[in-house]
Amino acid sequence: MMAKTFRASRLPAHGAEPGWAALLPARAPTPALDRAITADVVIIGAGFAGLAAATRLAQLDPTLSVAIIDADVVGNGASGRNSGFLIDLPHDISSGNFGVDAATKSRNEITVARSAIELYARLAQASDWGKDIFDPCGKYSVAMTDAGKEHLATYSAKLKALDEPHQLLGAAEIADITGTRSFKAGLFTPGAAMVQPVALVRGIADRFKGSVSLFERTPALSIETSSSGCTVKTPKGEVRAAKVILATNGHAESFGFGSGELLHVFTYASLTEPFAPSLIGGLSKWGATPAAPMGTTVRRINEAAGDRILIRSRYSYIPSIEVGATAMKGAAKLHDRKFADRFPDHRHLKMQYRWAGAMALTWNTVPLFGEVEDRIFAACACNGIGGTKSTAAGIATAELAVGHQSLLGEIFRAFEKPQRLPPRPLVEVGARLNLAMREWRAGRE
């Protein structure tokens, strides 16, 4: 085969530390790679996808030598910047026709999501994690408006068609849970899990030993392929391996993979200062996604210093994959309004932490998956539900790399390839208009 080199055109720049990391004790990262090493498989990226791939490889063949490299420290990338929901049900079954094809698609989405949740459940049991890291408690969807209330009722009907357990809640019932009377309705689904995302990925990374090695603060500068294998160059070393798994989500495009196929979108989160648990009634721990797509996610957590509320809202298209101060400032103002709308009696609470996190979307909402080049496998493009989809992609990619057959692998192999995006000026204008329209449609939700 002809030798090829794929050089990184840029390196990740994640911005402000996520609040999830600020709440945890300091952790010493593993040493950076400073020499040449060999491995059977090298994984680029130590987020949900990369860590899941390494875990699955170790399960399938404990004799495989696996090297994981990450440009940053574990937990500072996109996997530590979400709101900590592992959602087991599809988001969009309440819209459009729900025929046989739609039901099959939904069942496949559920299989993908639950494969990820099952992996974390097994790791939680094996590692004796507490519910502060992984809590299979289910989640709520909440409605601020009559339209949102109708959406939840439609969603409930589709869940019944799938024979999925759930519970519709009236205004008084959801108020007893959230401690606020701002919501008009709610819907509870028991299969989701809530996590502390930075603690979760740190916990997985710190389990590795023996044949799996992790090197943090070790960016991949290039990937070289030849008939003898692959070489991943880093600033002070290199990894020679038979195969490469690219688990860098949107940064796959930095190496030339998925070029012209990936939309780089950021979402934003704010976390309040701690408050006395008695200040706001309801349950001390809960999480709720909005009734309308592109609405506002809310989560209440508790820790030694007190309870906190997380607000996640705002989506922005940023092809440079780096958030600037203007975008952060705009999201912060929106979050303050969203919080005050939901908890009007407690609008005095200040936000202590604010951060942004990247997503990679494709035009036809499929992952960038499979052998994208001889010996190079991709588990990228989360399409906005990274906790489950990225994890499942990592599992399926590991299985593909070693020739293991599974239902999850069949589902991923059946995905279409990502569609090409329109020319850049058109896609930039279109993406921004589309996101703005979707946020406008979400309204108060």
Side-chain angles (χ1 to χ4, degrees), residues 184-204:
K184 293 196 171 187
L187 185 146
F188 176 71
T189 51
M194 307 299 297
V195 302
Q196 210 288 22
V198 173
L200 180 82
V201 293
R202 283 184 182 181
I204 298 170

Side-chain angles (χ1 to χ4, degrees), residues 172-192:
E173 293 171 301
I174 198 66
D176 288 342
I177 290 158
T178 62
T180 176
R181 297 191 176 279
S182 298
F183 300 120
K184 293 196 171 187
L187 185 146
F188 176 71
T189 51

Side-chain angles (χ1 to χ4, degrees), residues 315-332:
Y315 296 83
S316 55
Y317 171 66
I318 305 180
S320 66
I321 325 183
E322 187 171 351
V323 172
T326 301
M328 287 297 301
K329 185 176 180 180

Side-chain angles (χ1 to χ4, degrees), residues 409-426:
E410 290 177 10
I411 293 171
F412 270 85
R413 288 194 301 275
F415 282 125
E416 300 174 348
K417 298 298 182 184
Q419 292 178 356
R420 295 285 300 177
L421 298 171
R424 185 164 182 176
L426 293 177

Side-chain angles (χ1 to χ4, degrees), residues 85-254:
F85 288 69
L86 299 178
I87 301 172
D88 65 323
L89 296 171
H91 278 33
D92 60 353
I93 63 171
S94 60
S95 60
N97 295 324
F98 197 69
V100 174
D101 290 344
T104 299
K105 180 182 176 183
S106 293
R107 279 289 173 209
N108 286 344
E109 289 185 32
I110 292 169
T111 297
V112 167
R114 288 180 178 165
S115 296
I117 295 171
E118 287 167 7
L119 173 68
Y120 294 130
R122 291 195 299 270
L123 290 173
Q125 184 175 24
S127 305
D128 199 26
W129 292 340
K131 290 187 176 181
D132 56 325
I133 298 178
F134 175 84
D135 188 359
C137 58
K139 78 164 186 74
Y140 298 89
S141 296
V142 290
M144 293 283 292
T145 65
D146 288 335
K149 184 177 179 180
E150 291 178 10
H151 185 96
L152 293 185
T154 304
Y155 190 77
S156 171
K158 305 307 184 189
L159 290 178
K160 287 179 182 176
L162 289 171
D163 198 27
E164 288 291 339
H166 65 282
Q167 181 183 4
L168 272 174
L169 304 168
E173 293 171 301
I174 198 66
D176 288 342
I177 290 158
T178 62
T180 176
R181 297 191 176 279
S182 298
F183 300 120
K184 293 196 171 187
L187 185 146
F188 176 71
T189 51
M194 307 299 297
V195 302
Q196 210 288 22
V198 173
L200 180 82
V201 293
R202 283 184 182 181
I204 298 170
D206 292 341
R207 284 174 50 87
F208 293 131
K209 56 185 178 181
S211 61
V212 180
S213 301
L214 170 66
F215 302 93
E216 296 174 73
R217 294 174 177 162
T218 302
L221 303 181
S222 67
I223 307 170
E224 300 174 3
T225 63
S226 68
S227 58
S228 60
C230 304
T231 301
V232 177
K233 298 286 185 71
T234 70
K236 296 182 179 180
E238 64 181 36
V239 186
R240 300 187 188 103
K243 296 174 182 178
V244 175
I245 291 179
L246 197 61
T248 55
N249 211 13
H251 273 283
E253 191 172 18
S254 302

Side-chain angles (χ1 to χ4, degrees), residues 12-93:
H14 300 300
E17 178 185 55
W20 297 116
L23 299 181
L24 295 174
R27 167 187 172 273
T30 57
L33 183 64
D34 60 0
R35 63 195 186 279
I37 65 171
T38 60
D40 293 313
V41 181
V42 56
I43 298 172
I44 303 175
F48 286 136
L51 296 174
T55 301
R56 188 63 177 137
L57 287 172
Q59 291 172 342
L60 292 170
D61 187 352
T63 67
L64 278 178
S65 59
V66 179
I68 314 167
I69 62 172
D70 195 279
D72 209 320
V73 297
V74 171
N76 198 41
S79 295
R81 295 173 173 274
N82 56 76
S83 44
F85 288 69
L86 299 178
I87 301 172
D88 65 323
L89 296 171
H91 278 33
D92 60 353
I93 63 171

Side-chain angles (χ1 to χ4, degrees), residues 10 246 248-265 317-321 359-369 372 378-383 417-422 424 427-428 431:
R10 56 193 167 190
L246 197 61
T248 55
N249 211 13
H251 273 283
E253 191 172 18
S254 302
F255 294 93
F257 300 108
S259 181
E261 298 171 347
L262 303 181
L263 288 164
H264 304 287
V265 175
Y317 171 66
I318 305 180
S320 66
I321 325 183
M359 302 184 293
L361 314 180
T362 59
W363 194 260
N364 50 335
T365 64
V366 297
L368 177 62
F369 170 81
V372 292
C380 301
C382 64
N383 283 287
K417 298 298 182 184
Q419 292 178 356
R420 295 285 300 177
L421 298 171
R424 185 164 182 176
V427 76
E428 289 190 3

